[in-house]
Amino acid sequence: MVLHGDVAVIGGGVAGLAAAHALAKRGAHVYLFDRKPYLGGRAYSYEHPALETVVDSQHVLLGCCTNLMHLLTECGADDYVRWYNELVFLEPGGRASRIAPTWMPAPLHTAIDFLQAPMLSAEDKVGIARGLMEWMKPQPQDDNQSMADWLKRTGQTKNAIRRFWELTTSVTLNDTLENCSLRYGAKVFRELLLKSVAGGRLGIPTIPLSDLFSSVAMRIPAYGGKIILRTGVEELAPWNGRWRLRTANREWYMDAVVLAGSFEQVQQFLPQMPESTERKQIEDAMARLTHSAIVTTHLWFDREFTQLHHAALLDTMNQWIFHKSRIRNDDPSRGSYVELVIGAANAHLKMGREELVQRALDELKMFFPDVAKCKLEQSAVLKEARATFSTTPGLDAYRQGADTPWPGLYFAGDWTRTEWPSTMEGAARSGYLAAEAVCRGMHSPVTILQPDVDPSGIMQLLG
């Protein structure tokens, strides 16, 4: 069925792009607004004014990100993602534990490498295996319990917590074990490690993120939609069964509106809605949302000091290295661009640029002695204080769905009720769910949301 109507999507992040593309493809006259001059929202890149080079915020994909990959594939942008089956964990001194799938069926596909990994003791591995077994069946876990509480209950060792649970939670959910709901921790670990071989693949964009999402956005005008950058919506109000939007220089009238910004941006519009008990409940619920930060240190060297494309760094402040010049297949003669990432980084936001750069250099030398032979040519630090929302225990009851009490107004964003934590996949899911809600409101119901990756191997028997 073809949609007939004008739809405004406010916010050009992953959620807004997913909603706008899905609706434009189905015939709606879509207008995508964003205050910024670039797309991608918090998954963005920008040209550093002093370095005259593009700096990325670091976001990756996993094989279990079915809706994000569906969006990229539909827009012809999937070729800009490079996939890796192997994860490398480095200890200070350079000893590596490599985890990759083998011929064994899920959930045993990484068992051989896991059992041989030198970063963990036999006691560590027994505890980890015992814990993962609780998540073999697809049953929701307790949202009121934290990952930290669950780790205590299951008797995990200190080394297993530090080198496996804490590191993986920080990288995938961008939060501390105390702040992370067991429901979402279990969801990610099950999709990533147990359910299928495909779900655990790591995908890294080979072009800057804003370029990646601009290639997605290019499809929207092809369906008749319009992208309006550098334009914020300042007022929003119901008007004769439609919606009136005001920007700096004109008014717009729409049949439906998707608020696809961060939860702070959506909160700014709530006081403009008619006063009611429902509005107060939504305002109170959204006030419970908080942020978790990411800090990335970008380093450009005159030569390469490793051939690795990426690796987890154990027992250090910086948790992951991405060798961006290798990932993007740049000419090695042009030097080496690496990025070091600290997840769940609220405590590191007060650190100064020079301190972060020096700490990154010192820690790199612990894993790669050849760094001492390289010349650091440029550096940059990106602090994202509002990188993700925090999936704190008990928060699920307060996340909002796509539908709102006001006909024709819909919510999208990773913070909405997506059954996923704060990830690009969660954002894409929210955009598709909002598009489905718009279609229902226009009496043209359709299924847009993509299913999760199917279980494989032995996991098929468990559902």
Side-chain angles (χ1 to χ4, degrees):
M1 300 179 71
V2 177
L3 295 178
H4 298 285
D6 299 320
V7 182
V9 177
I10 304 175
V14 177
L17 287 168
H21 179 267
L23 291 167
K25 182 180 178 181
R26 286 159 179 81
H29 300 133
V30 173
Y31 300 81
L32 177 62
F33 296 88
D34 200 290
R35 290 182 180 275
K36 302 184 185 72
Y38 55 82
L39 295 164
R42 284 166 289 148
Y44 69 101
S45 53
Y46 70 100
E47 185 168 351
H48 194 287
L51 302 180
E52 297 183 351
T53 190
V54 174
V55 174
D56 256 329
S57 62
Q58 183 56 52
H59 293 268
V60 299
L61 299 77
L62 297 170
C64 50
C65 295
T66 54
N67 288 274
L68 179 59
M69 279 311 302
H70 178 265
L71 175 63
L72 295 177
T73 301
E74 285 229 312
C75 297
D78 52 319
D79 287 341
Y80 299 125
V81 178
R82 188 166 186 171
W83 290 98
Y84 298 88
N85 290 317
E86 182 182 70
L87 297 178
V88 180
F89 297 80
L90 293 179
E91 299 172 72
R95 186 171 68 168
S97 297
R98 298 176 182 272
I99 310 293
T102 64
W103 55 270
M104 296 183 71
L108 304 175
H109 50 292
T110 59
I112 294 175
D113 282 352
F114 173 74
L115 292 172
Q116 295 176 346
M119 69 178 190
L120 299 167
S121 70
E123 184 183 4
D124 300 334
K125 294 168 185 175
V126 169
I128 291 169
R130 184 176 62 246
L132 290 174
M133 285 180 65
E134 288 197 9
W135 301 334
M136 295 280 283
K137 292 184 179 180
Q139 54 191 17
Q141 301 295 318
D142 185 2
D143 183 56
N144 292 301
Q145 187 177 2
S146 72
M147 281 289 293
D149 289 339
W150 179 85
L151 292 169
K152 291 177 184 177
R153 178 171 64 79
T154 56
Q156 301 297 312
T157 66
K158 290 183 179 179
N159 193 58
I161 291 172
R162 185 179 76 253
R163 289 190 163 186
F164 180 76
W165 297 109
E166 186 177 83
L167 177 66
T168 309
T169 299
S170 176
V171 170
T172 56
L173 293 110
N174 191 40
D175 223 328
T176 64
L177 295 170
E178 292 75 18
N179 280 350
C180 182
S181 160
L182 175 61
R183 176 171 185 175
Y184 290 103
K187 169 76 174 180
V188 168
F189 278 97
R190 187 174 189 274
E191 295 287 339
L192 179 65
L193 300 176
L194 300 175
K195 189 176 176 183
S196 68
V197 176
R201 293 194 305 157
L202 177 67
I204 307 177
T206 59
I207 60 176
L209 284 170
S210 291
D211 293 346
L212 176 68
F213 290 114
S214 290
S215 66
V216 171
M218 287 172 60
R219 290 299 181 96
I220 295 172
Y223 294 120
K226 294 183 178 180
I227 298 174
I228 306 166
L229 299 179
R230 296 184 174 88
T231 304
V233 175
E234 299 174 2
E235 291 183 10
L236 173 67
W239 182 85
N240 291 341
R242 303 182 81 203
W243 287 88
R244 179 176 59 82
L245 287 67
R246 188 176 67 80
T247 59
N249 50 16
R250 65 169 289 185
E251 291 186 344
W252 308 74
Y253 296 88
M254 301 288 167
D255 298 298
V257 176
V258 177
L259 290 177
S262 65
F263 63 82
E264 299 97 337
Q265 292 168 331
V266 172
Q267 284 173 313
Q268 292 174 7
F269 287 107
L270 291 178
Q272 301 178 27
M273 299 300 106
E275 189 170 350
S276 65
T277 301
E278 291 87 353
R279 192 190 88 179
K280 182 66 165 58
Q281 290 172 342
I282 293 173
E283 288 174 333
D284 291 346
M286 291 184 68
R288 296 174 178 266
L289 293 166
T290 58
H291 287 290
S292 188
I294 295 176
V295 173
T296 52
T297 302
H298 304 257
L299 304 171
W300 288 264
F301 294 94
D302 65 336
R303 70 193 76 177
E304 289 189 344
F305 55 83
T306 179
Q307 294 184 1
L308 285 174
H309 287 211
H310 59 86
L313 305 178
L314 300 174
D315 306 334
T316 49
M317 182 182 75
N318 289 281
Q319 300 155 332
W320 208 283
I321 179 174
F322 292 93
H323 196 163
K324 302 299 281 284
S325 51
R326 277 265 170 179
I327 293 165
R328 295 174 180 176
N329 203 29
D330 292 341
D331 185 344
S333 67
R334 296 171 53 191
S336 182
Y337 167 30
V338 301
E339 183 179 72
L340 280 82
V341 180
I342 308 170
N346 288 8
H348 301 92
L349 292 174
K350 293 182 180 179
M351 293 179 67
R353 176 192 173 281
E354 292 183 2
E355 183 182 3
L356 286 163
V357 170
Q358 188 59 54
R359 185 72 175 267
L361 290 171
D362 292 342
E363 291 184 351
L364 275 180
K365 292 172 185 176
M366 296 167 60
F367 302 94
F368 309 102
D370 285 348
V371 170
K373 303 175 185 178
C374 300
K375 177 185 176 183
L376 180 65
E377 297 186 324
Q378 295 186 122
S379 63
V381 171
L382 179 59
K383 297 179 180 179
E384 300 172 90
R386 300 178 176 183
T388 62
F389 80 91
S390 186
T391 52
T392 52
L395 184 67
D396 227 33
Y398 302 98
R399 294 175 73 176
Q400 302 299 304
D403 290 290
T404 75
W406 307 286
L409 182 66
Y410 307 91
F411 290 153
D414 60 355
W415 55 272
T416 61
R417 194 178 303 130
T418 66
E419 299 184 1
W420 270 72
S422 185
T423 59
M424 292 193 294
E425 169 65 10
R429 288 175 67 91
S430 77
Y432 281 176
L433 288 167
E436 288 183 354
V438 172
C439 291
R440 288 195 302 272
M442 293 183 172
H443 310 293
S444 299
V446 65
T447 298
I448 303 172
L449 188 71
Q450 301 300 298
D452 289 340
V453 171
D454 290 331
S456 65
I458 298 170
M459 297 297 286
Q460 294 180 79
L461 305 177
L462 301 175

